Amino acid sequence: MDPTAALRVQPRAGHTSGTTRCAYTADGSRLVTAGSNNLIRMYKTGSDGEPTNIDDCQENNVALAAASSTFVVAAEDGTVSLYSIADASFDKFVTRSTLPVKDVAMSPDGKYVAVAGDELSVKVVDTEDITQVRYLREHARATRGVSFDPAGRLLTLSGTDGIIYVYSLTSESPELIRKVDGVIAAIDGDSDVSTKAVWHPDGRAFAAVTATKDIQVVSKNDWEKQRVFANGHLSDITALAWSPNGALLASASKDGKLLVWETRTQSVVARYDYSNVVDLVWHPTRNIVSFTTTDGEVFIHTDFLNDQFASLLRLPKQPAPFIHDPLAETSASRRPAPVNGKRQEIPSRPRRESLGSLDSFLGGVDGEDDDFVVDDDGAGYTTAGLKRGHEGGENGEHARKRQHIEPIYHEAFQPGSTPWRGNRKYLCLNLIGFVWTIDQDSHHTVTVEFYDHDFQRDFHFTDTFLYDKACLNEHGTLFSCPPKGDKPATIFYRPHETWTQRSDWRTELPVGEAITAMSLSESFITVTTNASYVRVFTLFGMPYRVYRPKSSPMVTCASYRDYVLTMGNGPVGPDGSARLLYTIENVKRDEICQNEDTVALPEGATVKSVFFSDSGDPCIYDSTGTLLTLLHWRTPSRACWVPLLDTKLLSRLASGRKSENYYPVAVADNKFHCIILKGGDQYPYFPRPLLSEFDFSIPIASAPKPKEKKRRNPDDEDAEMEDSPSDEDGDEDDSASAELRKLEQAYMLKGVQAAQLRDLIDGTSSTHTQRSALSRLELEIDKTLLQLLAGECREGEERGMRALEMVQLMRDRTGRMFEAAGKVADRYGRTILGDKIRQVAERKAEGRDEDDF
């Protein structure tokens, strides 16, 4: 005998033959059933007596939903009725549809009823005020199933076209936010096959029946397929229900099988033989499952699971079955690294108020000194059993003030990677190529692709180590996998070219130590771990350095040639958030360029990515959409973060109609290379999106608003002729203003580039090419100032002070640019300005300009 098989129970008095539905009230005290006859039955839980009958109802009831105090029943004629559970009586009609209704659902609070059917629009009706109706019309076909998520913010519709439509109900007008295709089958309106999206109790995913008679779990955050309950049914599945804690899933099919699956393993733990089941429901608290059939029968199965599996119902709420559960993959940076395999909590230390603090005046300080008044004469100076100002003892208000605040750490991340989305993720994205992996349950399949196929050929391999991080550059590909059980974390490096037979290498970290981030340069491999170590290897596996930085837990790292940048959590601020600190050092020369300096972030912002530009300057991209680079970083204590681009100020977003996010990839050729993400996505997905590039634009002013075109009456020619001169003047002003902003932007950008190039020349063994490039760049800066000077001269004599200031900013040491500036002033008749410019040129020639300016 099958050990998972169970005994059969006898049906209760139900309804006439036809579709029969059932639902438990929120407290589980009643089971409500409705069928094809004009009768509603309410069975009292735990009683074998006759049910309470409600005969004031329609015939051919096809859908039922219950809340805490009310329930709704929908009839085939389109009538949806509301009933009171306490009075077991009809309350009111909620709505009426002209076409048959197929399903109804009540929001978790019982306030709203969603009605789906053959009509193209789905209604969401307020049960307290039935005149308040919201319509969902953005789906193309009729719907067969409707369900609220556990929070009541989302509504899923199962269309007859095989698409699950997800609507957001957080605003007055419901908004279609997603179409989930490729899960349920396209069916006709009279099919008994279940297509309803059944939400898991934790609210992070729903389950739906596939065309292959399996049960697919779909996550809410990315709407991707997760785990699947497969190979259980041989015929169409007609009913589906999660247990109240989400630990079990029950399903029934046309082959007469009722199966119970364990959520964690997706395996069948119990089998029952019941034919024609069309609806089933778990009791909210007990080991009871009730279900109904097309024969009008009602089954109330007490002691549904045997003792071996009934304990699963007593567990707390269980997570939905994800391929890669974000809750299980919470970064190790949230807490201190494990010691001897155990997590260490940050100890809290009792703290006394400072002298003169408000608490010291209101309640004194802890300790024996609180009882300095002694009631030695019985005069009642003190209240018996209580200290002065500390009513309630350690459980009082004063004790609550001293509760420890858990610090908020910056999460560790791997630059250029994405989280799991379904069974796929990008391990690395940069200008060389990209690395992505597919989870095949028992193993992963890793693919490495290059943009330049003349440079390298693509390759892929079966990954049994389950790599979750990767780095890619011109010389090789680096992988790492997390520790699992007794297996330690592993680093694997595969060079693209080698002159030996054995090219790749693999090394293991100490047991229990996990990799939080890693980077690959032309010289070294850098790894940060949850044990607060930075480990540096040569390209072919020789351990080079191991040290523990001052900032911990570690967040991320990046490298360029011999330079390594690490980021970690520093001191905790008044708001409980840790400051993000960075260190840059030259590993080969053992020189620290910047030591535990602060990453410049606005309040509440986080770093999304960190990398070096193609010229070797550190860059970060933060959660506000700003790209910043680090100036003067080779000189200790001189570094400063300079914004290169604020994506919120891009001209393509100026109209306000477009909403985009940008996934940073690289900074190269003085451009920001990224992936444009639409629809609120934060990370790219498959198929591989195209790279986009944006010119740098230092945020000096707000983005110019697009000019609105005036609508003119074609019959009013006089008005058009009259408006033309003013419009032309406005266009000229706008053009001059745009040209001014463009020149100011060019001056700022070239100044940043010149500063970076000068730092490179001063800090390294510079070449003639680099010094010549700096001279050309400074000449371009002076030319830009000369153009700005011409614009100021055109504006008039009153702009002379600003014009002279521009001349003083020139870097020319030959005097030719000052001579040109004087000619520009003379050309526009600015005699006084010309004299001032020549005085500045004389001081420059005499070497007195730096002290004077």
Side-chain angles (χ1 to χ4, degrees):
M1 181 179 178
D2 187 349
T4 61
L7 298 176
R8 180 183 178 88
V9 299
Q10 296 300 315
R12 305 284 291 271
H15 304 270
T16 58
S17 180
T19 299
T20 308
R21 301 295 179 183
C22 61
Y24 273 107
T25 57
D27 60 1
S29 61
R30 296 284 192 278
L31 174 71
V32 184
T33 66
S36 57
N37 55 348
N38 60 338
L39 189 66
I40 296 174
R41 292 181 179 271
M42 299 176 62
Y43 299 85
K44 185 177 180 180
T45 301
S47 172
D48 294 331
E50 286 296 315
T52 302
N53 295 329
I54 302 176
D55 53 13
D56 185 11
C57 65
Q58 308 298 115
E59 293 185 351
N60 296 322
N61 298 303
V62 295
L64 170 66
S68 57
S69 60
T70 58
F71 65 90
V72 292
V73 176
E76 197 172 38
D77 63 359
T79 302
V80 180
S81 307
L82 183 71
Y83 295 85
S84 169
I85 294 175
D87 300 334
S89 62
F90 171 81
D91 187 355
K92 58 188 171 185
F93 290 112
V94 176
T95 187
R96 174 71 182 267
S97 301
T98 56
L99 296 178
V101 174
K102 298 298 181 182
D103 196 18
V104 294
M106 295 192 76
S107 60
D109 58 3
K111 181 175 176 57
Y112 297 100
V113 174
V115 183
D118 288 345
E119 289 188 354
L120 293 183
S121 63
V122 171
K123 300 176 184 177
V124 179
V125 186
D126 190 329
T127 57
E128 298 174 359
D129 183 4
I130 60 175
T131 62
Q132 301 296 320
V133 182
R134 291 185 285 179
Y135 294 90
L136 283 58
R137 295 191 173 99
E138 296 185 57
H139 49 281
R141 299 285 295 276
T143 50
R144 291 276 288 111
V146 58
S147 56
F148 285 91
D149 79 317
R153 300 188 187 97
L154 300 178
L155 189 70
T156 52
L157 309 180
S158 301
T160 57
D161 54 0
I163 299 175
I164 297 176
Y165 299 88
V166 185
Y167 284 85
S168 172
L169 303 179
T170 56
S171 60
E172 288 296 326
S173 300
E175 178 186 3
L176 178 65
I177 60 174
R178 195 73 178 190
K179 295 180 181 179
V180 182
D181 199 358
V183 178
I184 61 175
I187 59 173
D188 57 53
D190 297 327
S191 174
D192 292 332
V193 179
S194 174
T195 60
K196 188 173 184 175
V198 182
W199 284 90
H200 189 274
D202 73 354
R204 298 186 302 142
F206 63 78
V209 176
T210 69
T212 57
K213 304 175 182 60
D214 295 328
I215 303 168
Q216 179 68 62
V217 176
V218 179
S219 57
K220 182 180 74 171
N221 288 339
D222 53 17
W223 309 110
E224 292 297 325
K225 296 178 181 178
Q226 300 295 333
R227 297 294 183 186
V228 60
F229 298 80
N231 304 321
H233 293 284
L234 301 177
S235 187
D236 291 333
I237 299 174
T238 56
L240 204 63
W242 294 101
S243 64
N245 64 349
L248 298 165
L249 176 68
S251 60
S253 65
K254 289 184 177 180
D255 58 7
K257 299 295 182 183
L258 194 159
L259 305 182
V260 181
W261 311 72
E262 185 181 7
T263 299
R264 183 176 60 86
T265 61
Q266 301 90 55
S267 60
V268 177
V269 297
R271 302 174 186 270
Y272 302 85
D273 292 323
Y274 293 98
S275 301
N276 304 322
V277 175
V278 291
D279 202 5
L280 62 87
V281 60
W282 294 79
H283 188 276
T285 57
R286 300 188 187 181
N287 182 16
I288 301 175
V289 168
S290 299
F291 46 93
T292 54
T293 70
T294 54
D295 298 325
E297 298 172 319
V298 178
F299 292 86
I300 301 177
H301 201 315
T302 58
D303 298 326
F304 183 65
L305 297 174
N306 58 31
D307 294 340
Q308 180 182 359
F309 299 107
S311 60
L312 295 176
L313 293 174
R314 295 190 288 272
L315 295 174
K317 188 174 294 183
Q318 299 297 295
F322 283 68
I323 296 176
H324 292 275
D325 193 343
L327 293 181
E329 296 179 354
T330 302
S331 172
S333 67
R334 293 292 295 173
R335 294 182 179 274
V339 177
N340 296 328
K342 296 181 179 180
R343 285 285 183 189
Q344 303 298 307
E345 298 294 335
I346 299 176
S348 60
R349 177 171 59 88
R351 178 178 170 183
R352 297 169 66 93
E353 292 90 347
S354 60
L355 184 63
S357 66
L358 179 61
D359 284 342
S360 67
F361 288 116
L362 294 178
V365 295
D366 294 338
E368 299 178 356
D369 291 342
D370 284 348
D371 290 336
F372 69 95
V373 177
V374 181
D375 190 8
D376 54 356
D377 58 358
Y381 295 116
T382 62
T383 303
L386 292 177
K387 293 183 178 181
R388 178 176 57 85
H390 283 273
E391 288 79 12
E394 287 300 320
N395 296 324
E397 180 67 24
H398 192 68
R400 286 195 293 271
K401 293 178 183 178
R402 301 173 184 271
Q403 291 179 355
H404 172 68
I405 299 176
E406 184 72 19
I408 302 173
Y409 292 120
H410 294 267
E411 295 285 350
F413 67 91
Q414 174 65 30
S417 68
T418 67
W420 285 100
R421 187 166 175 180
N423 64 341
R424 300 185 179 210
K425 72 174 292 187
Y426 287 105
L427 301 180
C428 180
L429 282 164
N430 58 30
L431 293 183
I432 303 297
F434 52 98
V435 184
W436 53 285
T437 184
I438 301 178
D439 189 331
Q440 308 283 8
D441 286 337
S442 61
H443 64 277
H444 291 181
T445 301
V446 176
T447 302
V448 180
E449 297 188 30
F450 298 88
Y451 291 110
D452 186 358
H453 289 95
D454 294 333
F455 167 66
Q456 284 294 336
R457 290 187 303 175
D458 301 342
F459 65 91
H460 68 276
F461 60 92
T462 300
D463 167 26
T464 58
F465 287 87
L466 309 183
Y467 298 126
D468 65 340
K469 294 178 177 64
C471 297
L472 178 67
N473 67 5
E474 299 92 338
H475 303 286
T477 311
L478 177 68
F479 299 92
S480 73
C481 67
K484 188 175 182 181
D486 296 333
K487 296 181 180 180
T490 302
I491 302 170
F492 171 59
Y493 179 68
R494 174 174 173 166
H496 299 323
E497 293 181 358
T498 180
W499 49 269
T500 60
Q501 184 176 2
R502 178 74 180 183
S503 57
D504 53 17
W505 58 269
R506 183 176 283 108
T507 187
E508 295 179 347
L509 268 60
V511 175
E513 189 170 343
I515 297 172
T516 57
M518 62 182 188
S519 62
L520 174 65
S521 72
E522 300 175 9
S523 310
F524 295 100
I525 291 169
T526 306
V527 172
T528 63
T529 72
N530 64 342
S532 297
Y533 284 124
V534 176
R535 300 180 179 271
V536 182
F537 301 85
T538 63
L539 288 185
F540 288 92
M542 177 66 68
Y544 192 80
R545 286 192 65 189
V546 178
Y547 63 95
R548 177 170 286 172
K550 302 172 187 175
S551 54
S552 177
M554 298 301 297
V555 175
T556 191
C557 63
S559 55
Y560 176 81
R561 294 182 180 173
D562 299 336
Y563 293 99
V564 172
L565 183 152
T566 58
M567 284 187 181
N569 289 278
V572 177
D575 60 349
S577 299
R579 288 169 50 198
L580 191 60
L581 306 180
Y582 73 95
T583 296
I584 303 177
E585 64 177 310
N586 188 306
V587 176
K588 183 172 289 187
R589 294 189 301 202
D590 197 18
E591 294 177 356
I592 294 180
C593 302
Q594 301 298 322
N595 186 24
E596 303 296 328
D597 196 6
T598 302
V599 180
L601 292 173
E603 183 178 357
T606 59
V607 172
K608 304 294 285 186
S609 187
V610 55
F611 45 84
F612 281 84
S613 67
D614 60 341
S615 58
D617 292 299
C619 299
I620 62 171
Y621 184 81
D622 64 23
S623 56
T624 67
T626 305
L627 173 71
L628 300 102
T629 189
L630 194 62
L631 288 187
H632 313 308
W633 57 272
R634 290 181 178 86
T635 305
S637 303
R638 278 205 60 201
C640 65
W641 293 98
V642 176
L644 293 178
L645 177 67
D646 188 344
T647 56
K648 300 189 301 296
L649 301 180
L650 290 174
S651 58
R652 56 189 288 125
L653 303 179
S655 64
R657 303 188 189 96
K658 186 182 295 185
S659 177
E660 296 177 344
N661 291 319
Y662 305 93
Y663 183 81
V665 175
V667 168
D669 300 326
N670 291 322
K671 294 180 184 294
F672 175 51
H673 298 262
C674 64
I675 296 172
I676 299 176
L677 304 173
K678 300 182 182 295
D681 288 341
Q682 297 294 324
Y683 299 95
Y685 191 56
F686 300 85
R688 176 176 56 84
L690 298 176
L691 294 180
S692 301
E693 59 183 39
F694 294 101
D695 292 325
F696 294 154
S697 179
I698 295 178
I700 300 174
S702 300
K705 295 182 179 180
K707 185 177 180 180
E708 296 182 0
K709 295 182 179 180
K710 295 182 179 180
R711 296 183 178 179
R712 291 172 175 165
N713 187 350
D715 297 331
D716 193 355
E717 298 181 359
D718 295 337
E720 184 174 355
M721 293 297 294
E722 186 176 347
D723 291 344
S724 295
S726 61
D727 291 343
E728 291 177 0
D729 293 342
D731 292 342
E732 290 178 0
D733 293 340
D734 292 343
S735 177
S737 178
E739 183 66 22
L740 176 62
R741 286 195 299 268
K742 182 178 179 181
L743 291 173
E744 290 175 343
Q745 186 67 234
Y747 170 74
M748 292 287 292
L749 283 174
K750 290 173 183 176
V752 172
Q753 294 168 12
Q756 290 177 331
L757 189 53
R758 188 180 300 106
D759 289 343
L760 177 63
I761 293 173
D762 295 341
T764 62
S765 300
S766 60
T767 63
H768 175 72
T769 303
Q770 292 172 338
R771 292 190 293 271
S772 300
L774 179 59
S775 298
R776 287 194 300 270
L777 195 54
E778 290 182 339
L779 181 61
E780 290 295 325
I781 293 174
D782 287 351
K783 288 182 178 179
T784 303
L785 289 171
L786 205 59
Q787 291 176 286
L788 286 168
L789 173 65
E792 298 301 323
C793 291
R794 282 195 299 269
E795 292 297 322
E797 190 72 43
E798 66 276 5
R799 305 289 285 269
M801 295 293 290
R802 177 178 166 90
L804 181 62
E805 186 179 53
M806 293 175 180
V807 175
Q808 292 171 330
L809 293 173
M810 289 182 176
R811 308 185 183 197
D812 176 48
R813 294 179 177 86
T814 63
R816 286 179 294 181
M817 296 304 296
F818 293 99
E819 183 180 350
K823 291 180 179 179
V824 170
D826 293 339
R827 178 184 176 185
Y828 288 96
R830 312 301 178 208
T831 307
I832 299 177
L833 176 60
D835 294 340
K836 296 286 186 182
I837 291 174
R838 281 183 278 274
Q839 292 176 9
V840 171
E842 291 175 0
R843 288 199 301 270
K844 282 269 188 179
E846 296 173 1
R848 294 186 292 113
D849 57 295
E850 294 184 2
D851 294 335
D852 294 341
F853 182 60

